[in-house]
Amino acid sequence: MDWLNAIVQGTLLGGLYALFAAGLSIIFGVMRLVNIAHGDLIVLAAYLGLTITMLLGIHPLVALLVLVPVMALIGYGLQRLILNRTLGEDILPPLLVTFGLSVIIQNALLEVYTADPQKLQAGALEIASLNIGGLAIGYLPLLMFVTAVIVIAGLQFIFYRTALGRAFRAVSDNQDIAQLMGLNRRHIFAVAMALSLAVVAIAAIFLGTRTSFDPAVGGGRLIFGFEAVIIGGLGNLWGTLAGGIILGVAQAIGAQLHPGWQILAGHIVFLAILAVRPRGLFPRMDG
Amino acid sequence: MADPVLQIRSLDAFYGDFQALFSLDLEVASDGVIAIIGANGAGKSTLMRSISGMLQNRPDSILYQGEPIGGLRADQVAGKGIALVPEGRQLFPSLSVEENLIIGGRMRRPGPWSLAAIYDLFPILQERRHQASTSLSGGQQQMVAIGRALMANPSLLMFDEISLGLAPVIIRQIYEVLPKIIATGMSAIIVEQDISKALEVSSHVYCLQEGRVSLSGQSDTITREQISEAYFGARSDHGLA
Ligand SMILES: Nc1ncnc2c1ncn2[C@@H]1O[C@H](COP(=O)(O)OP(=O)(O)O)[C@@H](O)[C@H]1O
Ligand SMILES: [Mg+2]
């Protein structure tokens, strides 16, 4: 029963990792940008969520109505004003610039919010749980997982069923030829970053209601996101969800074996999969 | 006579420090069809990239309907009604055949071309519309590339070596429909290595050599000797096959 419980809880946690990963996956897929600041942007969004809940006195989930558009705007501006300038043949400039951005965000958060751990208060939702055959399944983790599935399904729809998705794929295939179709890649890239940070906003609210956070936790979220993306296979959104679940389950089983092994077990499974399948479990066929 | 749709005035084009086009002059009459010929590396594709905005140049070196466009980005040029069928087709591999066509028409310029009209012209594409564009034969891919450009309902359509790498029978088919396509109301620039095809469909021909116009004239009066000379520089014994 303990093991079954570990697997179920790990799966639900995997939903959060998939949310971390989906944002990374979008921008890597569209513009081959590896965003080192992704984890810090999640933490920034969690703090902004905190400020919104306190200022407006609203529930963190309701705060999403404000936070999602705010983060999307930040994403659009960030890409147009800074990141677009770094894109080109050389992959080093975007890495360096997003690394610098990561440092700046961390320090700014320290300055504004101090290093004290914070948490988003979700009230009764935090402790309520469903009892299924002796397994206690928390509403919050369940909601987190269901949200992840909906977000991934929504992104999948956008990418493969809409004009915006066609534009994303065309620009990703061949930027120069996409411009000939009247697509301005700078705008398309900025829309992709806006979408990525909209997902970041959702991830941040769940991160902040599940555990406490401080300005330094971004790096860890980045690593979990990366691991989920790479386990699932680059450029495959459902694969990203699978990657998140595998990582979550590995961590839960590790923790079951020994409380100190949670994070380690996740990294070991990640490395093992990478050794056997360097392109991840479900690489995109045309990638 | 109506104003020319495109005027190129002493165009210089560069790749970094390397100059690929030198003080090039060229004109396309309204509803006119010109052919551009020249050996490999002469600068034909560079000229296509310059006109389409993939390479940026001095703004007034390219005038389209009287407006300087030399400094515009490719997406801005496309919005003004210039479309290119690029060398090597360059379809989007992650898009299906139909999606490649639809994205060509995303600017929704009014005109005769629509998905239905393209499928009328190339019925095989309708059968294959849900397939990946990469699964098609070379000739069918070329049809998609032409259809994708037509979907923009361009006023000026440019073809860069559409016969490259295709079987003679396919080339013949494509050149059979080309005049009909152009007759629906557009000007065209046809870059072609196959000189007889180039002369057949055009009224005016330019020969490029090492980034300069080495010859230009009426397609029906220009002689093989003149072309041979313009192709290879100094008078030479190379016959043209
Ligand atoms: N991307 C590029 N960078 C540098 N030089 C280039 C590039 N593309 C073409 N060139 C050079 O420009 C000249 C003209 O090339 P191009 O326009 O492709 O010729 P064509 O289409 O007539 O075969 C050639 O000398 C070629 O080597
Ligand atoms: Mg060429």
Short mmCIF file of all heavy atoms in Angstrom, two decimals, chain A residues 160 166-167 169-170 173-174 176-184 286, chain B residues 52 73-75 78 90 92-95 99 102-104 106-107 148:
data_model
loop_
_atom_site.label_atom_id
_atom_site.label_comp_id
_atom_site.label_asym_id
_atom_site.label_seq_id
_atom_site.Cartn_x
_atom_site.Cartn_y
_atom_site.Cartn_z
N TYR A 160 -1.02 22.18 -32.98
CA TYR A 160 -1.35 21.36 -34.14
C TYR A 160 -2.69 21.68 -34.79
O TYR A 160 -3.02 21.12 -35.82
CB TYR A 160 -1.25 19.88 -33.77
CG TYR A 160 0.18 19.50 -33.49
CD1 TYR A 160 0.66 19.45 -32.19
CD2 TYR A 160 1.07 19.28 -34.55
CE1 TYR A 160 1.99 19.16 -31.93
CE2 TYR A 160 2.39 18.99 -34.30
CZ TYR A 160 2.85 18.93 -33.00
OH TYR A 160 4.17 18.67 -32.76
N ARG A 166 0.58 26.66 -36.46
CA ARG A 166 1.22 26.52 -37.78
C ARG A 166 2.38 27.49 -37.90
O ARG A 166 3.45 27.14 -38.39
CB ARG A 166 0.22 26.82 -38.89
CG ARG A 166 -0.52 25.63 -39.43
CD ARG A 166 -1.14 25.93 -40.79
NE ARG A 166 -2.00 27.11 -40.80
CZ ARG A 166 -3.29 27.11 -40.49
NH1 ARG A 166 -3.88 25.99 -40.16
NH2 ARG A 166 -3.98 28.23 -40.52
N ALA A 167 2.16 28.72 -37.42
CA ALA A 167 3.22 29.73 -37.49
C ALA A 167 4.40 29.28 -36.62
O ALA A 167 5.56 29.38 -37.04
CB ALA A 167 2.69 31.08 -37.02
N ARG A 169 5.30 26.24 -35.85
CA ARG A 169 6.03 25.12 -36.48
C ARG A 169 6.80 25.59 -37.70
O ARG A 169 7.93 25.15 -37.94
CB ARG A 169 5.04 24.00 -36.84
CG ARG A 169 4.62 23.19 -35.62
CD ARG A 169 3.62 22.11 -35.99
NE ARG A 169 2.32 22.67 -36.31
CZ ARG A 169 1.52 22.22 -37.27
NH1 ARG A 169 1.89 21.20 -38.02
NH2 ARG A 169 0.37 22.79 -37.49
N ALA A 170 6.20 26.50 -38.47
CA ALA A 170 6.87 26.98 -39.68
C ALA A 170 8.15 27.74 -39.31
O ALA A 170 9.21 27.54 -39.90
CB ALA A 170 5.94 27.87 -40.49
N ASP A 173 10.76 25.35 -38.23
CA ASP A 173 11.34 24.60 -39.35
C ASP A 173 12.36 25.45 -40.11
O ASP A 173 13.45 24.98 -40.42
CB ASP A 173 10.24 24.22 -40.37
CG ASP A 173 9.48 22.99 -39.95
OD1 ASP A 173 9.92 22.29 -39.03
OD2 ASP A 173 8.42 22.72 -40.56
N ASN A 174 11.97 26.66 -40.46
CA ASN A 174 12.83 27.47 -41.33
C ASN A 174 12.43 28.94 -41.19
O ASN A 174 11.47 29.41 -41.79
CB ASN A 174 12.65 27.01 -42.79
CG ASN A 174 13.66 27.65 -43.71
OD1 ASN A 174 14.12 28.76 -43.48
ND2 ASN A 174 14.00 26.94 -44.77
N ASP A 176 13.77 31.75 -42.24
CA ASP A 176 13.83 32.63 -43.41
C ASP A 176 12.62 32.43 -44.30
O ASP A 176 12.01 33.40 -44.76
CB ASP A 176 15.11 32.35 -44.21
CG ASP A 176 16.33 32.89 -43.51
OD1 ASP A 176 16.18 33.83 -42.70
OD2 ASP A 176 17.43 32.36 -43.74
N ILE A 177 12.30 31.16 -44.56
CA ILE A 177 11.16 30.90 -45.45
C ILE A 177 9.86 31.30 -44.76
O ILE A 177 8.92 31.79 -45.41
CB ILE A 177 11.15 29.41 -45.88
CG1 ILE A 177 12.47 29.05 -46.58
CG2 ILE A 177 9.97 29.12 -46.79
CD1 ILE A 177 12.75 29.81 -47.86
N ALA A 178 9.79 31.14 -43.43
CA ALA A 178 8.58 31.57 -42.72
C ALA A 178 8.35 33.07 -42.89
O ALA A 178 7.22 33.53 -43.02
CB ALA A 178 8.68 31.20 -41.24
N GLN A 179 9.45 33.84 -42.92
CA GLN A 179 9.32 35.29 -43.12
C GLN A 179 8.65 35.59 -44.47
O GLN A 179 7.90 36.54 -44.60
CB GLN A 179 10.68 35.99 -43.08
CG GLN A 179 11.39 35.90 -41.74
CD GLN A 179 11.20 37.14 -40.88
OE1 GLN A 179 10.78 37.04 -39.75
NE2 GLN A 179 11.52 38.30 -41.41
N LEU A 180 8.95 34.73 -45.47
CA LEU A 180 8.36 34.92 -46.80
C LEU A 180 6.84 34.76 -46.76
O LEU A 180 6.14 35.20 -47.66
CB LEU A 180 8.93 33.90 -47.80
CG LEU A 180 10.38 34.06 -48.23
CD1 LEU A 180 10.75 32.96 -49.20
CD2 LEU A 180 10.61 35.42 -48.88
N MET A 181 6.33 34.07 -45.73
CA MET A 181 4.88 33.90 -45.60
C MET A 181 4.27 35.10 -44.87
O MET A 181 3.11 35.06 -44.46
CB MET A 181 4.54 32.63 -44.81
CG MET A 181 5.24 31.37 -45.29
SD MET A 181 4.71 30.86 -46.92
CE MET A 181 6.26 30.92 -47.81
N GLY A 182 5.09 36.11 -44.62
CA GLY A 182 4.58 37.29 -43.92
C GLY A 182 4.66 37.15 -42.41
O GLY A 182 4.10 37.96 -41.68
N LEU A 183 5.35 36.11 -41.93
CA LEU A 183 5.49 35.95 -40.48
C LEU A 183 6.72 36.70 -40.00
O LEU A 183 7.82 36.49 -40.51
CB LEU A 183 5.66 34.47 -40.13
CG LEU A 183 4.44 33.58 -40.38
CD1 LEU A 183 4.86 32.11 -40.40
CD2 LEU A 183 3.41 33.81 -39.28
N ASN A 184 6.52 37.57 -39.02
CA ASN A 184 7.66 38.26 -38.42
C ASN A 184 8.16 37.40 -37.27
O ASN A 184 7.52 37.26 -36.24
CB ASN A 184 7.23 39.63 -37.92
CG ASN A 184 8.37 40.38 -37.25
OD1 ASN A 184 9.49 39.88 -37.17
ND2 ASN A 184 8.07 41.57 -36.77
N ASP A 286 10.15 14.05 -36.69
CA ASP A 286 10.81 14.90 -37.67
C ASP A 286 11.89 15.76 -37.04
O ASP A 286 12.54 16.55 -37.71
CB ASP A 286 9.78 15.79 -38.39
CG ASP A 286 8.96 16.61 -37.43
OD1 ASP A 286 9.42 16.82 -36.30
OD2 ASP A 286 7.87 17.03 -37.79
N SER B 52 13.04 39.84 -52.28
CA SER B 52 12.06 39.33 -51.32
C SER B 52 12.32 39.83 -49.90
O SER B 52 11.50 39.60 -49.01
CB SER B 52 12.05 37.80 -51.33
OG SER B 52 13.30 37.32 -50.90
N ARG B 73 11.98 44.19 -44.34
CA ARG B 73 12.14 42.79 -43.97
C ARG B 73 11.29 41.92 -44.89
O ARG B 73 10.30 42.40 -45.47
CB ARG B 73 11.69 42.54 -42.52
CG ARG B 73 12.49 43.20 -41.44
CD ARG B 73 12.03 42.64 -40.08
NE ARG B 73 10.58 42.60 -39.98
CZ ARG B 73 9.84 43.54 -39.38
NH1 ARG B 73 10.41 44.57 -38.82
NH2 ARG B 73 8.52 43.43 -39.35
N ALA B 74 11.62 40.64 -44.95
CA ALA B 74 10.91 39.73 -45.86
C ALA B 74 9.41 39.69 -45.57
O ALA B 74 8.60 39.62 -46.49
CB ALA B 74 11.51 38.33 -45.77
N ASP B 75 9.03 39.73 -44.29
CA ASP B 75 7.59 39.63 -43.99
C ASP B 75 6.86 40.88 -44.46
O ASP B 75 5.69 40.82 -44.87
CB ASP B 75 7.35 39.37 -42.50
CG ASP B 75 7.99 40.41 -41.61
OD1 ASP B 75 9.21 40.60 -41.71
OD2 ASP B 75 7.27 41.04 -40.82
N ALA B 78 6.55 40.59 -48.27
CA ALA B 78 5.50 39.60 -48.59
C ALA B 78 4.12 40.24 -48.49
O ALA B 78 3.25 40.01 -49.33
CB ALA B 78 5.62 38.39 -47.66
N GLN B 90 12.02 24.13 -50.36
CA GLN B 90 11.97 24.64 -48.98
C GLN B 90 10.58 24.62 -48.37
O GLN B 90 10.12 25.62 -47.81
CB GLN B 90 12.49 26.08 -48.93
CG GLN B 90 13.81 26.27 -49.61
CD GLN B 90 14.97 26.16 -48.67
OE1 GLN B 90 14.84 25.60 -47.57
NE2 GLN B 90 16.10 26.64 -49.06
N PHE B 92 7.80 23.39 -45.51
CA PHE B 92 7.94 23.22 -44.05
C PHE B 92 7.70 21.75 -43.71
O PHE B 92 6.57 21.26 -43.86
CB PHE B 92 6.93 24.10 -43.31
CG PHE B 92 7.12 25.56 -43.58
CD1 PHE B 92 6.19 26.27 -44.32
CD2 PHE B 92 8.23 26.23 -43.10
CE1 PHE B 92 6.36 27.62 -44.58
CE2 PHE B 92 8.42 27.58 -43.36
CZ PHE B 92 7.49 28.28 -44.09
N PRO B 93 8.73 21.03 -43.25
CA PRO B 93 8.56 19.60 -43.02
C PRO B 93 7.56 19.26 -41.91
O PRO B 93 6.94 18.20 -41.95
CB PRO B 93 9.97 19.11 -42.65
CG PRO B 93 10.79 20.32 -42.41
CD PRO B 93 10.12 21.47 -43.07
N SER B 94 7.39 20.13 -40.92
CA SER B 94 6.42 19.78 -39.86
C SER B 94 4.99 20.10 -40.24
O SER B 94 4.09 19.87 -39.45
CB SER B 94 6.71 20.50 -38.55
OG SER B 94 7.98 20.92 -38.44
N LEU B 95 4.80 20.66 -41.43
CA LEU B 95 3.44 20.99 -41.85
C LEU B 95 2.99 20.01 -42.93
O LEU B 95 3.79 19.59 -43.76
CB LEU B 95 3.38 22.42 -42.41
CG LEU B 95 3.11 23.55 -41.42
CD1 LEU B 95 4.13 23.58 -40.31
CD2 LEU B 95 3.08 24.90 -42.12
N GLU B 99 -1.41 22.30 -44.92
CA GLU B 99 -0.95 23.37 -44.02
C GLU B 99 0.09 24.26 -44.70
O GLU B 99 0.12 25.47 -44.50
CB GLU B 99 -0.37 22.78 -42.74
CG GLU B 99 -1.41 22.25 -41.77
CD GLU B 99 -0.78 21.69 -40.52
OE1 GLU B 99 0.23 20.95 -40.63
OE2 GLU B 99 -1.28 21.97 -39.43
N ILE B 102 -2.00 26.53 -46.77
CA ILE B 102 -2.76 27.49 -45.97
C ILE B 102 -1.85 28.60 -45.44
O ILE B 102 -2.21 29.78 -45.46
CB ILE B 102 -3.46 26.78 -44.79
CG1 ILE B 102 -4.57 25.86 -45.31
CG2 ILE B 102 -4.06 27.80 -43.82
CD1 ILE B 102 -5.18 24.98 -44.25
N ILE B 103 -0.65 28.22 -45.00
CA ILE B 103 0.22 29.24 -44.41
C ILE B 103 0.69 30.22 -45.49
O ILE B 103 0.94 31.40 -45.21
CB ILE B 103 1.41 28.60 -43.66
CG1 ILE B 103 1.94 29.59 -42.62
CG2 ILE B 103 2.52 28.17 -44.60
CD1 ILE B 103 2.80 28.97 -41.56
N GLY B 104 0.73 29.75 -46.75
CA GLY B 104 1.06 30.66 -47.85
C GLY B 104 0.00 31.74 -48.01
O GLY B 104 0.28 32.85 -48.46
N ARG B 106 -1.82 33.06 -45.52
CA ARG B 106 -2.23 33.59 -44.22
C ARG B 106 -2.43 35.11 -44.22
O ARG B 106 -3.09 35.64 -43.33
CB ARG B 106 -1.26 33.19 -43.12
CG ARG B 106 0.15 33.67 -43.32
CD ARG B 106 1.01 33.35 -42.11
NE ARG B 106 0.64 34.16 -40.96
CZ ARG B 106 0.94 35.44 -40.84
NH1 ARG B 106 1.60 36.06 -41.80
NH2 ARG B 106 0.59 36.11 -39.78
N MET B 107 -1.91 35.79 -45.24
CA MET B 107 -2.09 37.25 -45.24
C MET B 107 -3.44 37.66 -45.83
O MET B 107 -3.81 38.83 -45.79
CB MET B 107 -0.95 37.93 -45.98
CG MET B 107 0.32 37.91 -45.16
SD MET B 107 1.76 38.46 -46.09
CE MET B 107 1.87 37.20 -47.32
N ARG B 148 1.90 27.22 -52.62
CA ARG B 148 2.10 28.02 -51.41
C ARG B 148 2.32 29.49 -51.77
O ARG B 148 1.78 30.40 -51.13
CB ARG B 148 3.31 27.47 -50.63
CG ARG B 148 3.59 28.16 -49.32
CD ARG B 148 4.76 27.50 -48.60
NE ARG B 148 6.02 27.71 -49.31
CZ ARG B 148 7.20 27.26 -48.90
NH1 ARG B 148 7.29 26.56 -47.77
NH2 ARG B 148 8.30 27.48 -49.58
#
